[in-house]
Amino acid sequence: MAYEAQFYPGATSVAENRRKHMSGKVEKLREISDDDLTIILGHRVPGTDYPSTHPPLAEMGEPECSIRELVEPTDGAKAGDRVRYVQFVDSMYNAPSTPYFRSYNTAINFRGVDPGTLSGRQVVEARERDMEEIAKFQLETEMTCPALSGLRGATVHGHSLRLQEDGVMFDMLDRRRLENGTIIMDKDQVGRPIDNKVDLGKPMSDEEAAKRTTIYRVDNVPYREDKEVLEWVHRVFEQRTMYGYKPAVQE
Amino acid sequence: METSASDTKKSIQIEIFPKRMIKPDTVEGLLNKLCSLEGIQRAFIQGPRLPTKVPFGPAVGTPVHHPVRTNVHFGKTEMGLEVLVGRITLELAGKEVMEEINAICEDTLPCGFDIREGRFIQTRQTVSDYAKRGPTADPALYGLYDPKSKIESQVNLLRTNEKE
């Protein structure tokens, strides 16, 4: 029987959502066009070619190497794209994802990526077209609520603040806001104004956000209610402390 | 010098802490109702600052034009709001108006809120306050503005109280 990765313990909705984010089996909720994505990322003009830092690998004549034969380069690496970044911020008030789970999602499901996990933001560096693929995946699926998550390249403050009256996470650069029931973005991720407004979709209701979140909270699903998670966290901590991750010593 | 709020031992301080950050319209409505009450000596609003320009990053210096950074009116006084309001601290002459404040908050705020009593506005000068303002500083202004900034930019005296 083929082994199936289990990803994360636990029986609660939060544990189930964490498994979904890690495995990449998430529901697609909205559509964002390639041009819109390119505009809000702000790295190049939509419709233009990807700038490159080296010629395509096929033209370069790579040295003989068993690892290079074994590992197929990503599309971005094949074409010689620049390395570019996308950065997300997720509110602590039941945002669907968190920096850790965005990083798990990226590292498990995509290749050639360098995820950076911080307390309030998560950045991914990759070849430009590979990075766009990740950004599109995370923006279009249930990993992102346009009101509770934000695409923010710089000036990320807001993830730990209370939400605004309209249920949107605070953004001091006003990159995105609620207009007629949908979230509109009229600046790119670093705060430069863009020509047209990009529709990021409808925000999740409070109930839906509570259902789709990967955050344990006492006012939603408390961490201590998930006995299996607690048991495994205790086990990891105990074994790390007592045996320094050397199970052989324990036996 | 007249006896100021900070000198009065009986004065108490309360903090109104809404569950959501509140919009300028709501702030205006709430503070206008609170202003009509007797016995509120000082008010202090706090929240994350809204910059006029992008402070850092590749777009540094680009104008922001945040819609929340606007002017609000309290009676005849106009005030530029430079923060998204997260909490409001009031200094009261006594506890008599607490129930009315609670009722006003329930009417005005669209979300839940907490009101707690404590010491939120400083009552004595710090060393840097003293260095900037000297020994003759008005005790009523302690803690209401940053020693590095100009008083006009951070403190508003309501015109209704000008005669008092």
Side-chain angles (χ1 to χ4, degrees):
Chain A
M1 195 171 72
Y3 171 73
E4 263 192 48
Q6 297 177 37
F7 295 111
Y8 199 83
T12 57
S13 63
V14 173
E16 180 57 37
N17 293 335
R18 288 183 172 201
R19 282 193 284 274
K20 279 188 196 171
H21 285 215
M22 291 172 85
S23 64
K25 291 174 185 164
V26 281
E27 191 183 340
K28 186 173 173 178
L29 297 181
R30 57 192 81 87
E31 195 84 44
I32 293 172
S33 72
D34 290 346
D35 280 354
D36 282 351
L37 180 74
T38 310
I39 292 172
I40 57 177
L41 287 172
H43 294 307
R44 67 186 173 95
V45 177
T48 55
D49 288 342
Y50 290 97
S52 58
T53 50
H54 61 74
L57 289 182
E59 295 173 14
M60 281 180 64
E62 291 187 275
E64 197 173 309
C65 168
S66 55
I67 298 298
R68 287 176 196 242
E69 285 167 18
L70 203 64
V71 181
E72 196 197 343
T74 62
D75 291 342
K78 270 185 202 165
D81 287 356
R82 306 174 298 179
V83 171
R84 284 294 176 266
Y85 73 93
V86 59
Q87 185 163 257
F88 286 94
V89 176
D90 295 288
S91 170
M92 286 165 59
Y93 287 85
N94 284 343
S97 201
T98 61
Y100 254 100
F101 285 88
R102 283 193 191 276
S103 284
Y104 281 134
N105 174 273
T106 312
I108 293 170
N109 299 289
F110 298 91
R111 296 190 307 128
V113 293
D114 180 8
T117 320
L118 298 106
S119 56
R121 59 195 166 105
Q122 192 263 355
V123 62
V124 182
E125 287 183 16
R127 301 288 189 142
E128 195 162 354
R129 70 190 74 193
D130 301 337
M131 178 275 293
E132 285 183 4
E133 187 189 347
I134 299 160
K136 194 171 166 69
F137 176 84
Q138 296 199 353
L139 275 171
E140 286 186 338
T141 59
E142 61 176 308
M143 289 186 70
T144 298
C145 164
L148 300 173
S149 314
L151 202 62
R152 300 183 185 182
T155 326
V156 296
H157 185 50
H159 86 286
S160 60
L161 298 182
R162 282 160 286 158
L163 301 176
Q164 292 171 185
E165 241 181 84
D166 53 9
V168 178
M169 177 172 60
F170 172 72
D171 181 3
M172 67 195 267
L173 299 190
D174 188 42
R175 278 163 279 217
R176 79 221 198 297
R177 74 186 77 87
L178 189 66
E179 276 184 17
N180 303 322
T182 59
I183 299 289
I184 296 295
M185 195 160 177
D186 62 1
K187 292 179 184 175
D188 69 8
Q189 63 169 339
V190 293
R192 286 180 292 235
I194 53 180
D195 293 338
N196 47 339
K197 292 182 174 179
V198 173
D199 186 350
L200 295 179
K202 286 186 178 177
M204 291 179 184
S205 65
D206 290 349
E207 295 75 29
E208 193 183 359
K211 201 179 78 181
R212 290 190 192 271
T213 186
T214 51
I215 303 172
Y216 288 103
R217 279 181 67 98
V218 283
D219 57 3
N220 186 25
V221 178
Y223 183 57
R224 293 192 177 279
E225 272 185 15
D226 215 328
K227 301 292 179 205
E228 195 185 353
V229 174
L230 268 189
E231 185 189 326
W232 275 93
V233 169
H234 285 165
R235 180 178 155 80
V236 169
F237 269 68
E238 185 185 355
Q239 299 213 322
R240 184 176 67 178
T241 309
M242 302 203 42
Y243 310 112
Y245 279 135
K246 291 180 183 170
V249 179
Q250 186 186 10
E251 288 159 12
Chain B
M1 186 182 296
E2 288 179 22
T3 307
S4 80
S6 308
D7 301 326
T8 313
K9 286 178 184 171
K10 285 180 184 173
S11 68
I12 59 165
Q13 290 178 8
I14 60 163
E15 183 185 69
I16 303 168
F17 189 87
K19 299 274 157 90
R20 295 261 170 117
M21 311 293 266
I22 50 180
K23 287 180 183 172
D25 296 349
T26 316
V27 176
E28 197 174 64
L30 179 67
L31 288 188
N32 271 317
K33 286 182 184 172
L34 290 174
C35 285
S36 64
L37 297 179
E38 290 291 323
I40 296 184
Q41 296 165 328
R42 301 195 289 170
F44 186 78
I45 56 176
Q46 185 265 344
R49 191 167 177 78
L50 303 164
T52 51
K53 290 179 180 175
V54 177
F56 44 79
V60 66
T62 310
V64 175
H65 303 302
H66 205 295
V68 175
R69 195 183 165 101
T70 180
N71 286 350
V72 288
H73 296 84
F74 305 126
K76 295 173 187 170
T77 311
E78 188 178 7
M79 187 179 94
L81 203 57
E82 295 177 6
V83 295
L84 176 64
V85 177
R87 62 182 90 193
I88 297 169
T89 305
L90 301 173
E91 190 169 75
L92 312 175
K95 283 193 172 181
E96 300 78 30
V97 285
M98 286 286 282
E99 279 186 20
E100 288 173 79
I101 291 174
N102 200 46
I104 288 172
C105 291
E106 276 181 6
D107 283 349
T108 318
L109 292 175
C111 53
F113 62 91
D114 290 327
I115 295 184
R116 52 185 182 156
E117 191 182 330
R119 190 53 79 181
F120 305 102
I121 309 174
Q122 71 189 67
T123 51
R124 285 185 297 173
Q125 293 207 89
T126 62
V127 172
S128 46
D129 289 339
Y130 186 85
K132 176 79 180 179
R133 300 167 190 150
T136 55
D138 181 1
L141 299 176
Y142 289 172
L144 291 189
Y145 70 104
D146 190 277
K148 285 182 184 170
S149 65
K150 289 182 179 172
I151 182 169
E152 314 84 77
S153 66
Q154 295 196 349
V155 178
N156 282 272
L157 301 174
L158 295 191
R159 288 181 190 166
T160 49
N161 291 342
E162 273 176 355
K163 289 176 187 173
E164 292 173 12

